[in-house]
Amino acid sequence: MRLLAQLGSSLRFLFRRRAVERQIDEELRAHAAHRAEDLVRRGVDPAEAERRALAELGLVGQVKEDIRDALPAAMRIDGWTKDVRYALRRMRAAPGFTAVAALTLALGIGGTSAIFTVVKAVLLEPMPYRDPGRLVLLWNEFPGQGVLRAPGSGFELAEIRRQTQSLDAVAGIWGGNGTILGEGDPEHVKVGFVTGNFFPVLGADPLLGRTLAPDDEGDGRAGAVVLSHGLWRRKFGADPNVIGRTVRFDGTTATVVGVMPPDFRMLFPPDAQVPTEILAWIPFQQDIAAQPKNLHYLRYVARLRPGATVAEANDDVAAIGRRLSDEFTEFGGDHIGLRAVAMHADAVHEIRPALLALFGGVALVLLIACVNVANLLLARGSARRKEMALRAAVGASRGRLLRQLLLESLLLAAAGGALGLVLGAICLDRLAALAPLGVLPPAPLALDRGVVAFAALVTLVAGVAFGIAPALDASRVNVADVLKSAAGNTSTMGRRGRAALVVAEVALSFVLLVGAGLMIRTFVAVQGVDPGLRADGALTFEINLPFGRYRGDDARSTFVRTFVERLRALPGVTAVGGVSHLPFDDYPNWYSPYAPVGTSDERRRTLMADHRAATPDYLRAVGATLVRGRFYDELDEAAGRAVVVIDEKLAAEAWPGEDPVGKMIECEHIARGNFQPEQAQVVGVVRHVFSHRLTHQVRGQIYIPYPRSARNHLSFVMRTGGDPLLLVGAVRGETAKLDKELALAKVRPLSDYLDRAARPARFTMVLGTIFGGLALALAAIGLYGVIATSVSQRSREMGVRLALGAAPRRLLRQVLGEGMALTLAGLALGALGALAATRLLGALLFGVSPVDPATYLVAAAVLPVAALLASWLPARRAARGNPMDALRAE
């Protein structure tokens, strides 16, 4: 019953507030009247009795406040409503302050929300597969050759399936290319060649039809194909009856058995070389377990048994690897190892350091923004101390004042958060344009409910963080002291607090400036790398020769030779060449052991190189630099000579201090579709061509004449003296003349590949520079606010000093000195923070040390210059002040 009575009272107060207020006033007046009558009966003068009754009762406003505090919680909403209205009036009364504070917060909250959207999409979102926590990737390790993340063979896959104790199932995939025909023009597509259990292991269900099954593989014909959602819509017009249709694929026929949903994609790590944009999946048509035991090309994905852990799976497959190494001589004794890693963690292991560093950087910007707004509120609180004292004098409790000030801070934060979400949505488009390929999911990024909830939490924390100190300071007032003071000067805590906050701002800004400087130095170093090729004036494209129509090495070699001759005859073309693996392309890499002839078996196990099948003119077309010897040519091809060209890295590794030209080397060739070792003579040495990334040389390279390792996939490079894109029409025409069913893909200038290789460094450099610039601007604004407030509050002192003959120059030096003292203190603190923070950037740096002295010196020079400029205006105002104006103002 008591609860119902309180609820009724609460509703009555909420909806009949004015009537309740009148009732409270009447009760207070009646109480005062009864007390005054009692005093009159005791002989007190009526006027004195009324005064004493009111004095005993206390101020009516304070009494009403106490009554509200005693009411149930629901009845106090009215007080909060009044506080909100008052806070909004205060914000409208100072539009300049509100705009500056909200925009400052918006920069921090917007940037944090945008980066968090990326972090959430890449690092925090679960993989779009069923029960993704049970998915693991299996890697081969060849420690002696320095290869720790290698693919596996079909034989190993069969043995893992047979021997494992911790894995439910294991599947394999190899990324390749193909040409699909039958609907419009031929289309070159990325293809995933997979084991029949690939989709069930991954935990992916189709949108239409079914996925592949173990029965689909190994029958020697391309019997089934699963389409991506994009290819289904583009090539087949989103036909819901596509299941069961026969399509021509690489010269053979295949039946469409399924279509994957639009959000399905491959989420393997970049070095697995399984492209995210695979458009079709085809089962292996050969018995991969019967292939050579050491033919490593498969990427393994496995599903843990219920209850099994990644650590248990790692121990399990490691033991299998040791048994295979001991049992089979193809693996070279202790040469092989197997390792299991969680799929999601491994898929993002390369991008995680960059994203976390960027998130840390934008969090520092937000922290600086909060410090800046706290400084503004402290300065504003100094000006409002007299207001707070008056409110306290008329009965407002300290708790009520603190609540009011914190509410103002939260509303200010809410305004900044709302504007920040708008800025964050704008920033997402810019991030998507800057981000390296494969970093972001294919679907457009958006500020979803999770990001909005994160932004709301950040806004709440920020509002409390920057508002608590100013609120405590402004609410801690001595009524008598403040009312006696004509100016209501700031408290010692306010002055010292603002100075401490500026020191913190400068320190945080120094950390961000150093980080930005290191990112800039890294980008400059990456841009300065000699990639070993000339990208200007070169056009590239790739083709895939269908197995069904280009059977045998001779058929492929004849087509390539004729095609190159036709392209070379085009006007303006100076060189044309084809290569199996174009630098910085995402086509699965070809690397294998090699050995100088006569090398011991022990040393053979430590040598690994990238192999490239190339036509004679490829190295000239790509702009490679010949160091010694010669390129192989058409005469070598015609004579069937076993010759190769190697790069400087491999020459120094195989024959240190010797001339390799004329030496014999054993390396892998492809004859009739089989990989096998073959001896060849080194006829030339070229400068190393960077092929994987610009930041380091991965392996030495061996260039093999194309007819001796004829492959179906080939990329072409055409060099011209003009705009390479002007050749595109002529190239398509020549291709159609030779084979109308061939499709060109990746038609682009060679410079695009270099730009993409430099994109990760550019991405972190641009964002780091933006964060550093924002931090510098916010620190300068904060320092300006502190110095300007200090000068304003000391106007009387400075006026007296000027009146007594103090030189304006001396006041100028004093004010500038205060600003520089705060800056130097911040630099000292920031240097310590930077030394600790920049060590976390080690994985992102290239060509520069985390403790690079030049970067630290530049950052230490930039901040004082900004501080000097920020202090100059207040200092000049103090030096040019009129002493009489200052004294009259007092």
Side-chain angles (χ1 to χ4, degrees):
M1 294 298 294
R2 182 179 179 184
L3 181 61
L4 291 176
Q6 288 183 348
L7 179 61
S9 299
S10 300
L11 293 175
R12 180 168 171 261
F13 182 81
L14 287 174
F15 297 105
R16 300 186 59 195
R17 183 177 59 82
R18 292 184 179 179
V20 174
E21 290 278 0
R22 284 197 300 271
Q23 183 179 350
I24 292 174
D25 290 339
E26 292 172 359
E27 290 178 357
L28 289 174
R29 283 195 295 270
H31 183 80
H34 288 314
R35 179 57 179 159
E37 291 175 2
D38 184 57
L39 291 174
V40 168
R41 284 195 298 269
R42 296 182 183 182
V44 179
D45 180 73
E48 177 65 16
E50 184 176 355
R51 186 191 67 78
R52 286 171 60 181
L54 290 174
E56 290 178 8
L57 184 63
L59 294 170
V60 173
Q62 179 62 47
V63 173
K64 292 171 70 174
E65 189 72 26
D66 293 341
I67 291 174
R68 289 193 188 95
D69 290 341
L71 289 172
M75 298 184 185
R76 301 176 194 170
I77 294 177
D78 182 64
W80 285 94
T81 303
K82 288 184 176 180
D83 288 344
V84 170
R85 291 173 180 167
Y86 181 75
L88 292 174
R89 287 199 301 271
R90 292 292 311 182
M91 292 171 67
R92 287 197 301 268
F97 169 85
T98 301
V100 170
L103 182 59
T104 300
L105 288 172
L107 291 173
I109 294 173
T112 304
S113 301
I115 297 295
F116 177 75
T117 303
V118 178
V119 170
K120 176 175 175 290
V122 177
L123 302 184
L124 303 181
E125 290 283 359
M127 303 182 90
Y129 309 134
R130 186 170 53 254
D131 200 3
R134 291 173 55 198
L135 290 175
V136 294
L137 299 180
L138 307 183
W139 290 95
N140 258 323
E141 294 184 339
F142 304 105
Q145 299 171 345
V147 180
L148 301 179
R149 294 172 64 85
S153 67
F155 172 78
E156 289 176 72
L157 174 61
E159 287 299 311
I160 294 171
R161 287 173 171 174
R162 185 176 66 85
Q163 300 184 38
T164 183
Q165 301 296 318
S166 60
L167 303 174
D168 250 355
V170 188
I173 181 173
W174 178 71
N177 296 279
T179 303
I180 191 166
L181 305 169
E183 298 287 338
D185 295 331
E187 183 170 349
H188 185 101
V189 296
K190 292 288 185 184
V191 180
F193 296 95
V194 299
T195 56
N197 67 338
F198 178 76
F199 289 102
V201 168
L202 205 59
D205 298 318
L207 177 69
L208 298 176
R210 64 173 178 88
T211 58
L212 300 174
D215 292 342
D216 292 319
E217 64 174 305
D219 61 0
R221 59 184 177 82
V225 60
V226 172
L227 306 177
S228 72
H229 190 270
L231 182 63
W232 171 60
R233 293 186 63 85
R234 184 175 64 256
K235 195 73 176 174
F236 300 93
D239 181 6
N241 299 314
V242 72
I243 304 302
R245 286 181 58 176
T246 299
V247 298
R248 294 179 62 197
F249 190 87
D250 268 0
T252 60
T253 59
T255 302
V256 178
V257 298
V259 176
M260 298 308 292
D263 60 344
F264 177 78
R265 64 189 180 112
M266 298 288 94
L267 292 174
F268 286 73
D271 55 347
Q273 296 181 312
V274 177
T276 58
E277 68 276 14
I278 285 180
L279 300 180
W281 292 266
I282 293 177
F284 288 111
Q285 296 307 299
Q286 66 272 32
D287 184 3
I288 59 176
Q291 293 174 335
K293 296 180 178 61
N294 58 356
L295 181 57
H296 297 106
Y297 67 100
L298 288 174
R299 308 295 173 173
Y300 303 143
V301 59
R303 182 166 287 273
L304 294 171
R305 287 182 177 172
T309 66
V310 176
E312 291 171 349
N314 188 60
D315 293 340
D316 182 21
V317 297
I320 295 173
R322 287 191 295 270
R323 287 195 291 270
L324 294 178
S325 298
D326 293 339
E327 187 174 352
F328 298 99
T329 58
E330 290 91 339
F331 297 127
D334 59 352
H335 186 56
I336 190 175
L338 282 168
R339 182 165 57 96
V341 292
M343 184 174 182
H344 183 259
D346 202 51
V348 299
H349 80 279
E350 286 192 14
I351 193 59
R352 180 187 285 110
L355 288 184
L356 293 181
L358 292 174
F359 190 69
V362 77
L364 286 181
V365 171
L366 175 60
L367 184 56
I368 294 172
C370 290
V371 170
N372 218 343
V373 174
N375 240 329
L376 292 173
L377 288 175
L378 277 173
R380 193 183 188 212
S382 298
R384 295 181 63 185
R385 288 181 65 78
K386 195 165 186 178
E387 172 200 339
M388 296 296 107
L390 287 173
R391 294 187 64 183
V394 297
S397 65
R398 188 186 176 204
R400 179 66 183 272
L401 297 179
L402 186 63
R403 185 179 78 185
Q404 176 67 49
L405 293 168
L406 273 177
L407 188 58
E408 292 180 17
S409 300
L410 289 173
L411 288 175
L412 197 60
L419 183 57
L421 284 175
V422 176
L423 292 178
I426 296 173
C427 289
L428 281 180
D429 293 335
R430 305 297 182 270
L431 278 175
L434 284 172
L437 295 177
V439 170
L440 302 181
L445 292 175
L447 300 179
D448 58 18
R449 287 178 295 180
V451 176
V452 172
F454 170 80
L457 178 61
V458 168
T459 299
L460 177 63
V461 173
V464 174
F466 69 70
I468 189 67
L472 287 172
D473 181 57
S475 63
R476 191 185 295 118
V477 293
N478 186 310
V479 177
D481 291 345
V482 174
L483 293 180
K484 284 188 293 184
S485 169
N489 291 330
T490 185
S491 67
T492 302
M493 184 268 184
R495 290 193 297 271
R496 292 177 179 174
R498 292 201 303 276
L501 289 176
V502 166
V503 171
E505 274 190 275
V506 172
L508 294 173
S509 300
F510 185 78
V511 173
L512 281 178
L513 281 177
V514 170
L518 293 175
M519 291 296 101
I520 293 173
R521 293 286 303 276
T522 292
F523 180 70
V524 171
V526 169
Q527 291 292 93
V529 169
D530 179 4
L533 53 83
R534 289 190 299 110
D536 57 300
L539 178 72
T540 69
F541 61 92
E542 65 181 34
I543 61 172
N544 198 74
L545 300 176
F547 282 100
R549 291 187 294 110
Y550 292 88
R551 295 183 181 276
D553 297 346
D554 291 341
R556 290 189 284 270
S557 297
T558 299
F559 171 86
V560 169
R561 189 181 303 112
T562 304
F563 189 46
V564 168
E565 290 174 356
R566 285 176 173 269
L567 296 180
R568 189 185 295 137
L570 293 175
V573 176
T574 58
V576 179
V579 67
S580 59
H581 296 76
L582 195 67
F584 306 113
D585 194 9
D586 58 359
Y587 188 70
N589 189 40
W590 175 21
Y591 65 99
S592 299
Y594 79 95
V597 173
T599 299
S600 65
D601 290 342
E602 183 177 356
R603 188 171 179 233
R604 282 173 178 269
R605 299 172 186 172
T606 66
L607 299 176
M608 186 78 74
D610 285 339
H611 291 58
R612 303 288 182 257
T615 63
D617 218 21
Y618 165 72
L619 290 170
R620 289 191 184 89
V622 83
T625 302
L626 184 66
V627 177
R628 56 172 59 94
R630 65 178 178 86
F631 297 130
Y632 53 75
D633 54 27
E634 285 85 355
L635 295 178
D636 293 312
E637 281 192 0
R641 298 190 186 102
V643 295
V644 295
V645 172
I646 63 175
D647 73 346
E648 286 181 306
K649 180 176 175 60
L650 188 141
E653 181 181 69
W655 297 281
E658 301 180 39
D659 184 356
V661 176
K663 300 287 180 65
M664 298 298 292
I665 188 173
E666 183 180 282
C667 55
E668 189 174 71
H669 286 60
I670 305 175
R672 293 177 295 279
N674 295 318
F675 292 84
Q676 56 191 29
E678 182 178 303
Q679 292 186 8
Q681 184 182 45
V682 176
V683 297
V685 179
V686 295
R687 187 170 298 163
H688 180 80
V689 176
F690 286 74
S691 297
H692 305 283
R693 56 186 64 187
L694 286 170
T695 51
H696 67 278
Q697 300 178 356
V698 178
R699 281 175 292 271
Q701 295 156 355
I702 301 174
Y703 297 92
I704 304 168
Y706 179 77
R708 304 193 70 81
S709 288
R711 301 179 65 116
N712 287 70
H713 171 269
L714 209 62
S715 295
F716 289 86
V717 180
M718 300 177 62
R719 183 160 294 281
T720 177
D723 182 357
L725 291 178
L726 296 178
L727 295 171
V728 174
V731 171
R732 294 191 185 278
E734 293 299 326
T735 305
K737 289 177 184 177
L738 281 177
D739 190 336
K740 293 181 179 181
E741 294 186 352
L742 286 184
L744 302 186
K746 295 183 180 177
V747 182
R748 62 184 62 144
L750 181 59
S751 57
D752 278 11
Y753 288 96
L754 286 180
D755 290 342
R756 294 182 184 191
R759 203 166 182 176
R762 183 185 296 114
F763 178 62
T764 53
M765 183 271 294
V766 170
L767 292 185
T769 302
I770 291 173
F771 297 158
L774 284 175
L776 181 64
L778 291 174
I781 292 171
L783 185 61
Y784 169 81
V786 167
I787 300 299
T789 302
S790 176
V791 168
S792 174
Q793 292 171 346
R794 295 169 60 191
S795 58
R796 183 177 183 277
E797 170 201 336
M798 293 183 176
V800 171
R801 291 177 64 184
L802 287 171
L804 294 177
R809 186 175 300 173
R810 185 173 181 181
L811 292 181
L812 182 68
R813 285 199 302 268
Q814 179 182 346
V815 175
L816 290 177
E818 291 177 4
M820 295 309 295
L822 295 176
T823 303
L824 293 176
L827 286 177
L829 186 62
L832 297 176
L835 288 172
T838 52
R839 294 185 183 278
L840 303 177
L841 299 177
L844 305 178
L845 301 182
F846 171 72
V848 63
S849 166
V851 291
D852 177 55
T855 303
Y856 278 72
L857 288 175
V858 170
V862 169
L863 266 172
V865 170
L868 192 64
L869 294 175
S871 304
W872 175 256
L873 287 176
R876 188 177 65 170
R877 189 182 306 120
R880 292 184 177 182
N882 188 326
M884 295 308 297
D885 292 342
L887 294 176
R888 276 196 297 268
E890 290 293 319

